Amino acid sequence: MTITPPALSVFETLESEVRSYCRGWPAVFDRAQGSHLHDEDGHTYLDFFAGAGSLNYGHNNPVLKRALIDYIERDGITHGLDMATTAKRAFLESFQNVILRPRDLPYKVMFPGPTGTNAVEAALKLARKVKGRESVVSFTNAFHGMSLGSLAVTGNAFKRAGAGIPLVHGTPMPFDNYFDGQVPDFLWFERLLEDQGSGLNKPAAVIVETVQGEGGINVARAEWLRALQDLCHRQDMLLIVDDIQMGCGRTGGFFSFEEAGIVPDIVTVSKSISGYGLPLALTLFKPELDIWEPGEHNGTFRGNNPAFVTAAAALNTYWADGQMEKQTIARGEQVERALLAIVDELGGEGVSFRGRGLVWGMEFEDKPRASAVCARAFELGLLLETSGPESEVVKLLPPLTISTDELDEGLRILARSVRETA
Amino acid sequence: MTITPPALSVFETLESEVRSYCRGWPAVFDRAQGSHLHDEDGHTYLDFFAGAGSLNYGHNNPVLKRALIDYIERDGITHGLDMATTAKRAFLESFQNVILRPRDLPYKVMFPGPTGTNAVEAALKLARKVKGRESVVSFTNAFHGMSLGSLAVTGNAFKRAGAGIPLVHGTPMPFDNYFDGQVPDFLWFERLLEDQGSGLNKPAAVIVETVQGEGGINVARAEWLRALQDLCHRQDMLLIVDDIQMGCGRTGGFFSFEEAGIVPDIVTVSKSISGYGLPLALTLFKPELDIWEPGEHNGTFRGNNPAFVTAAAALNTYWADGQMEKQTIARGEQVERALLAIVDELGGEGVSFRGRGLVWGMEFEDKPRASAVCARAFELGLLLETSGPESEVVKLLPPLTISTDELDEGLRILARSVRETA
Amino acid sequence: MTITPPALSVFETLESEVRSYCRGWPAVFDRAQGSHLHDEDGHTYLDFFAGAGSLNYGHNNPVLKRALIDYIERDGITHGLDMATTAKRAFLESFQNVILRPRDLPYKVMFPGPTGTNAVEAALKLARKVKGRESVVSFTNAFHGMSLGSLAVTGNAFKRAGAGIPLVHGTPMPFDNYFDGQVPDFLWFERLLEDQGSGLNKPAAVIVETVQGEGGINVARAEWLRALQDLCHRQDMLLIVDDIQMGCGRTGGFFSFEEAGIVPDIVTVSKSISGYGLPLALTLFKPELDIWEPGEHNGTFRGNNPAFVTAAAALNTYWADGQMEKQTIARGEQVERALLAIVDELGGEGVSFRGRGLVWGMEFEDKPRASAVCARAFELGLLLETSGPESEVVKLLPPLTISTDELDEGLRILARSVRETA
Amino acid sequence: MTITPPALSVFETLESEVRSYCRGWPAVFDRAQGSHLHDEDGHTYLDFFAGAGSLNYGHNNPVLKRALIDYIERDGITHGLDMATTAKRAFLESFQNVILRPRDLPYKVMFPGPTGTNAVEAALKLARKVKGRESVVSFTNAFHGMSLGSLAVTGNAFKRAGAGIPLVHGTPMPFDNYFDGQVPDFLWFERLLEDQGSGLNKPAAVIVETVQGEGGINVARAEWLRALQDLCHRQDMLLIVDDIQMGCGRTGGFFSFEEAGIVPDIVTVSKSISGYGLPLALTLFKPELDIWEPGEHNGTFRGNNPAFVTAAAALNTYWADGQMEKQTIARGEQVERALLAIVDELGGEGVSFRGRGLVWGMEFEDKPRASAVCARAFELGLLLETSGPESEVVKLLPPLTISTDELDEGLRILARSVRETA
């Protein structure tokens, strides 16, 4: 495929320098369907990024599209603040019947504003309000968002530097396997909590991702998550799982923490919850934590009703039975085999991989190579992004609805890109 | 009209206690068109709230609806992170040609995430980064959002208390007319800035609304805004106008600050920018401030492409000429006459009003009466909300596209509601 | 008098650049007695600075000197942490009998460490602990000390910049007469407190000096102080009077707030409390505020027993009757007449003065002239310092024990210095 | 010895509940000489606490006493702000000739106010100013003082809680041997620094005690200190050694860090620097860090001239040769043998000890026993204090000038106290 340099002029002249993905993928995209995007020059790209996890059901999924167009056609409420609407009720009922009840999860649902960072901000506020303490523990290489509350518990130094004020009230602790098994889990964290002279401000809560997506596809073991939950209980801290990127089926089950058998006190959900790439976010919490006063946290777009419509359709279509989870795990095994083959081809030198469900990362010791692989993949028609603190990990995040053939095709392009960047 | 108590059960049992509007308007809304909403029991409501300013072109505006459905039908990109897309280009070009160029505004455009608070967080970060100072001055009764950065410059004590941490790095100054003309403008602020012993941390920026919507429809005079701009220039502070609620034509001109003839350094835009109630936000700033590194601020939903489509359609439809501005001012005069009549009827006792364009507030000395008026209006089929620190102001925020008849009808209901709560 | 440039070498080579007074007074001082210092070259200086208010009873006051030497000779406890000692008991009894009881002041006494900033830190901690709120209001041009807690409520921008972190949790309010009577007292402060939308974090306490020494000899009127006390009571804030420089008789009465008839909740005392220039500080508070746990605030030198000895001697010698107060007021009137004469001589142009008791300030519109006056006075054998945010005020702070002749001499030198810097 | 309950009335009725040592040692002390204190009832106490390390040369050391009385007799300057005085010059010259030059230490000397916490506040300010970063790393169980800047880098949860505001800008790291050798030194700290995604705000400086006195007599190994210095150099952080309690010969050499062969960037000195228990403190730093503006940090009592006099006498008397260091090490060995014997007597069960020079700690697994031992020792005429986060360590801190007989006597009382609390 030959790529003609696209006419990016208005992006370059009018849009801020802060723009980012458009630099790595220099195309002007026009349409998309399922696992593919099409640019205005007629090129087609296979999508192994899925809107950073926002398109678990693919682009413009036809079932959701039908529901969405019908809703718009019939003049359903579009913007509803936090008014009661029929669309919101349908979503809440689906979420209760399809997701919460079968999993025996007791959560109350809050609509904190339609983006992930809104959900995290609401979670942190609530935890602090409930416990009357201001400190929150996060983990190395965590990513929770760009507004000041979320940024304070985010690890990335480059993002943090953007704050323009000292980010405080958060303390980082080592994520699972941070020292390659050299140090017992929670040795440092627990000791600080127990030592009255440690200098750690007693935390209101711990916020954790089960798999760190932006941080480099770092996968927490189930036993580590259970031990973390135990530690939180023993030390009177709330456990917040940020399931914004890893929830909605990305790791197999609807929530990524199901496999570990834990029940976090607070859960944040966004990205793929609308199913269609429309902005929507939820903050879930145990009923006894629901001490909010009416309107104490609000937001103009927290009732994005078209997103409720596609969200309900997605839940009813994909989560009424266990097929989606099984398929994701099968697709994940397909990825795993392919990555193993790539590593074998390299003789296991300078590369490693890890993942769960349909999120995988391939880390290069020669860190810039990860970006080179993504650049070559783009030329070959595959959208791939890096992650990790130094962009040293190639991140695989295909739609969950991807076919085995499409997955194979993408994995072949990946293998070729690795080969050609040797 | 008789209202049957609606079946709110799932809202009451599953949704968090934080829900708010659904308490004052106990109906389950289903459809909406133009200036009206319809609940599932067949009742119709005239909308004087317009999604808190997000529906300046009315509900499900047919021109935008057509563009939106066409876009979805043809599988246009829905979720685009900050990739270049044809929809984004069309929006940027329209924004440049219809809005920026004719007003000779030099702004770069940033998509900071699709909600107002994202736009404010980005504005504050950038101001701090540019000036290398952390402090920001806001005004009494300001409202800028619920995430920690925005909340720190928001006045409302109840909202602030939700933070769970001390909100610092912001200092409030008196908004225009805070002392009823008793004190010269900026006397306190300027003196603090000039006095090397004042104890005020030198601010990076000042953030202001031209009309404080949540704060009680407090209208800044054009000369006050000009003097504020002068003060910012003299004291090396950036001027941020938060035009989230008052922009997009609410006060007449597209930007609410046009009338004053000022050019803020940074402007935040959201709510009605998509035109259809879809989440979208912009942070605009002078080119010389565009010192962002690529990706230094990001967000999953900052490229909400369906919103670009409706936004471009709204700009091209309503702002290519000066009709919208003229009409808004005319409608505003209609409101003003009606409010004057209401006040006259009360003998001018215990009530006052103020406003600009199509945003008006009616303040009651007997503060609870404002809520009573809104409650009665709801029974009579009119959606009205209060604002102000003690909810003492009835806020009129009809769609800009409302007809004179609809406006008359709503104003008659308002007058009746005032009368019946005496 | 001719001043030979002294050999400052070790000060210049070994001592940090932070040194300050030695620059304005380039002499190496050796001995001192009463109102005079002597340098090693045999020059004598009349002292109108009195150790920044630490030497109210003059240098090496013979009564205190005798008590001090006796105590050292007999091997009295020198360093006593916060152990009970006979010297501490004697001080406490004198303080109770001579100071607290006659004034009907109910205070508990805390020894927070022997410097003013220790006393302020303890006061702020206690106020926050009692009220459970973190914010404290201070006043424009306040000075409370250099450690981080005290610095956050200090106004001077130059001193604040030394912190290296953003100083938060404090908000400045206008000191008495900040707007030359143009604005009603507490208009801004009270409005912020009453307005639920003001954005002011509810303060735990207000900290105030009755006369701002470092800030430029700004004298609060008695009625302003009473109104401030009323405001604190109405708004549930503690009133802290920082009497470090103005207490111990500087303004006439032992406490500077006595004249206003107020009873602050917390009072800080230091500087002249030991009477001999030895480090000592007290934090006084109403008994119901004494919620400290044993050892919750501590410090190595809080029991400086030689200072207890001179402090007790000073109280018993000077405060057992009302003579000291009367004399201070008389001496103050002598200063006032002299300053009036100086101003008259200048035709009242470009200069003004104010003061209370034996603290007076002479402000020059031509700001650098204040420093020139002090420099010339030094050449003429008088120690005088400037104060105010731009060092525009010549500050008169002679020992309270100064004779009328000495005072006259100093005032003549001052007049001459003013004349010679025209 | 029989102790009659002393008449503590004025302490109980007038002094704040914050008083502490007087509770554990219920006597009213009157005189002291060398290693002994005498109460007003005629009881004598052997001092194994030495003013928390402020009386390294014993109480009322006769050499220093003579110099002090002579100085007072001849009306030497008592209070000198930061004016040049002959007493200050003599001190600076002695400090340079006796301490700095022989050790080839290049430090500039700052007088930051006469208490330890003043010295720490100045050190932290300077480090932040130099590096332009606000964060500082401290260690578990560190103690640096009670003012807000120092308290933020202090570990003790009880002391921290007294702040009344969230203490931020500091992050604790594990002190040497925190995990009993289980974890490589600096594994966590270094990894956080190197990982761009760790979430650690880049520190301006690290502040450390070579032996943590208040923290439980935790002794850092020389190699750990050297590795810490290396880490600071590699990572562009300043190394601050807080030598307030361990300096002035407590561990053998004048500075406690000499043994490790490191040269910290900044050193804080206080407690025994005056030699006589008079308040005095120094902040030392490398010349290239001396970027203070004149007067940027100040304080009323930073020129405590009587303390300069005794300090110079102490330096000249005890540090002109290496005798003091040798004697301290010999006395330390005497202590070590005695502690070993005590442990042996207990069969090594439930007790351990550690120390360096003349600072030793004996830790009891049965934590309350440490307090019981001190209480029994007091009854037997020995002053002993606990330390550690749960007061589980008996702390031995005798004067360095103690005789072998006195030391033996105290160690016998200690042994008996341990025996009698079994």
Side-chain angles (χ1 to χ4, degrees), chain B residues 134 139-142 152 154-158 160 166-175 177-180 182-184 187-188 191-192 194-201 389-390, chain C residues 134 139-142 152 154-158 160 166-175 177-180 182-184 187-188 191-192 194-201 389-390:
Chain B
E134 89 291 344
F139 289 96
T140 49
N141 288 296
T154 288
N156 191 285
F158 166 63
R160 290 174 72 86
L167 293 172
V168 296
H169 304 304
T171 304
M173 289 291 150
F175 192 71
N177 206 32
Y178 196 59
F179 299 109
D180 304 318
Q182 200 180 351
V183 175
L187 177 71
W188 172 232
R191 181 69 189 278
L192 282 185
E194 286 174 355
D195 182 351
Q196 289 306 301
S198 71
L200 182 76
N201 294 338
E390 298 176 78
Chain C
E134 88 292 344
F139 289 95
T140 49
N141 289 295
T154 288
N156 191 285
F158 166 64
R160 290 175 72 85
L167 294 173
V168 296
H169 305 303
T171 305
M173 289 290 151
F175 191 72
N177 206 32
Y178 196 59
F179 298 110
D180 305 318
Q182 202 180 350
V183 175
L187 178 71
W188 172 232
R191 182 69 189 279
L192 282 186
E194 286 173 356
D195 181 352
Q196 290 304 301
S198 72
L200 182 76
N201 294 338
E390 297 176 78

Side-chain angles (χ1 to χ4, degrees), chain B residues 371-389:
Chain B
S371 294
V373 166
C374 293
R376 183 64 187 134
F378 177 76
E379 292 170 349
L380 298 170
L382 177 70
L383 297 189
L384 264 184
E385 184 47 302
T386 59
S387 76

